[in-house]
Amino acid sequence: MSGIGTVALTVCCASLICSLLSNFVNDSSLKRVLNLVLGAFVVCSLILPVKTAVSDFRQDVDSEIEYSQGYATPDEAYNQRIVAQTRENLENTLEAILNQNGIYPNKTEIILSVNSDNSIIISRICIYIDESSLQTDLINELILQGFGIMPNIITE
């Protein structure tokens, strides 16, 4: 919108300058030459802001296209949200299983992968736990029963 305002302001200023200059000239031959020069000035005054506004608009459109290409498609975003929610649910389940058996980890982390057939598999389970409450055999047995994978137990 500022480009349109610039064009309008430029045209008004050019018209004002042309009308003031034509009032000060009395000679008819000089007036014709002045009208030709002033006409060319008005045409240039009209073309330059329009050209600038169009090129600025084109740059804005190009930058908008580049900006939007960095985002995922709706299907990809939906699939990512499903994986994130699955990870969160599995981590909550993992912590609940451990807490039911008297093990209170500092943090649990489940790494998921998506296969080519869009199935979600558990790649790795990491359990961060204090050395004082380390019960490796029990943790391995619980996770193997519940998730079918051996966890990585990291002591802190």
Side-chain angles (χ1 to χ4, degrees), residues 106 127-134 136 152-156:
N106 295 338
I127 300 172
Y128 299 88
I129 195 163
D130 291 330
E131 285 186 31
S132 61
S133 59
L134 185 61
T136 308
N152 293 339
I153 301 173
I154 301 166
T155 57
E156 296 180 333

Side-chain angles (χ1 to χ4, degrees), residues 1-64:
M1 194 66 179
S2 67
I4 294 171
T6 303
V7 171
L9 181 65
T10 304
V11 169
C12 290
C13 289
S15 300
L16 182 64
I17 291 170
C18 291
S19 65
L20 288 175
L21 283 177
S22 65
N23 285 334
F24 290 119
V25 177
N26 291 333
D27 188 18
S28 65
S29 63
L30 183 60
K31 196 167 201 162
R32 273 189 250 137
V33 171
L34 184 64
N35 283 339
L36 180 65
V37 170
L38 293 177
F41 174 71
V42 169
V43 169
C44 290
S45 297
L46 288 171
I47 292 174
L48 187 64
V50 171
K51 179 186 160 278
T52 305
V54 169
S55 66
D56 287 346
F57 177 73
R58 183 69 192 153
Q59 289 173 355
D60 290 344
V61 169
D62 290 342
S63 66
E64 190 68 30

Side-chain angles (χ1 to χ4, degrees), residues 44-153:
C44 290
S45 297
L46 288 171
I47 292 174
L48 187 64
V50 171
K51 179 186 160 278
T52 305
V54 169
S55 66
D56 287 346
F57 177 73
R58 183 69 192 153
Q59 289 173 355
D60 290 344
V61 169
D62 290 342
S63 66
E64 190 68 30
I65 290 170
E66 291 171 10
Y67 182 69
S68 66
Q69 289 174 349
Y71 289 104
T73 64
D75 289 339
E76 291 171 343
Y78 180 72
N79 289 340
Q80 289 174 357
R81 183 66 189 137
I82 287 174
V83 170
Q85 186 63 47
T86 303
R87 179 182 308 112
E88 183 180 333
N89 292 347
L90 288 172
E91 286 175 353
N92 290 340
T93 303
L94 173 62
E95 286 187 26
I97 289 172
L98 292 174
N99 290 344
Q100 287 174 356
N101 290 287
I103 301 168
Y104 300 98
N106 295 338
K107 179 182 170 187
T108 59
E109 183 178 36
I110 296 180
I111 309 296
L112 300 177
S113 297
V114 179
N115 283 342
S116 59
D117 61 347
N118 286 336
S119 61
I120 300 172
I121 61 169
I122 299 173
S123 295
R124 182 175 40 167
I125 297 177
C126 295
I127 300 172
Y128 299 88
I129 195 163
D130 291 330
E131 285 186 31
S132 61
S133 59
L134 185 61
Q135 300 172 349
T136 308
D137 293 336
L138 179 60
I139 293 172
N140 285 335
E141 181 183 329
L142 290 171
I143 303 307
L144 194 57
Q145 282 177 354
F147 295 94
I149 189 171
M150 286 297 288
N152 293 339
I153 301 173

